[in-house]
Amino acid sequence: MPDTPILVSACLAGIHCRYNGQVESFEPVVDLVRRGLAVPFCPEVHGGLPTPRRACEILGDKVVDADGVDRTAEFERGAEEGLRLALLMGCREAVLKARSPSCGSGVIYDGTFTSTRVEGDGFFARILKEHGIVVRSEEDLAE
Ligand code: SF4
């Protein structure tokens, strides 16, 4: 059992924050939150984006939505606020949603909105890793 809380993607805990407005909880993460072992956070909503919202993907060092609107500032703001929370709570571990342009870890989409996967981290996963926090996805947790 961890002695500091695990930071988790809020959508995995069943919170209504996914870009498409659908709720898709992941029971092992819901259970961690229920037991007080994990804290949910959504960097995109905290960065100022609504739910639902246009899908976004990372393109180079920017984030664009499916209409080509630059959402980099919102993504950076949300990632920085999530890092602030993680450091405040002393988190050493995070479980984040796979392939999201914020939360994805190791694999994301390539910015063409064609479901093409490439190596890379979402903005939130990357800033957490840069500060020594171990990031896994819910898919890692299920293995
Ligand atoms: Fe879930 Fe992360 Fe996307 Fe928020 S930004 S909906 S927490 S994957």
Side-chain angles (χ1 to χ4, degrees), residues 8-12 15-19 41-45 51 53 75 96-98 100-104 124:
V8 296
S9 293
C11 57
L12 294 176
I15 291 168
H16 179 250
C17 57
R18 294 193 72 217
Y19 76 97
F41 181 81
C42 176
E44 291 177 23
V45 168
T51 303
R53 53 191 171 277
F75 271 62
L96 303 184
K97 179 89 178 92
S100 150
S102 286
C103 294
F124 186 37

Side-chain angles (χ1 to χ4, degrees), residues 77-93:
R77 187 182 313 132
E80 284 163 11
E81 287 307 306
L83 173 65
R84 189 191 311 277
L85 179 65
L87 296 178
L88 193 62
M89 294 188 307
C91 295
R92 292 195 290 268
E93 201 181 330

Side-chain angles (χ1 to χ4, degrees), residues 44-118:
E44 291 177 23
V45 168
H46 211 94
L49 295 172
T51 303
R53 53 191 171 277
R54 296 291 281 158
C56 291
E57 293 193 2
I58 294 177
L59 189 59
D61 57 358
K62 302 262 180 222
V63 181
V64 292
D65 73 14
D67 295 324
V69 178
D70 187 337
R71 295 297 186 194
T72 310
E74 289 93 335
F75 271 62
E76 286 179 342
R77 187 182 313 132
E80 284 163 11
E81 287 307 306
L83 173 65
R84 189 191 311 277
L85 179 65
L87 296 178
L88 193 62
M89 294 188 307
C91 295
R92 292 195 290 268
E93 201 181 330
V95 176
L96 303 184
K97 179 89 178 92
R99 294 180 292 283
S100 150
S102 286
C103 294
S105 176
V107 180
I108 53 172
Y109 293 112
D110 72 348
T112 62
F113 296 90
T114 57
S115 301
T116 306
R117 298 178 185 190
V118 290

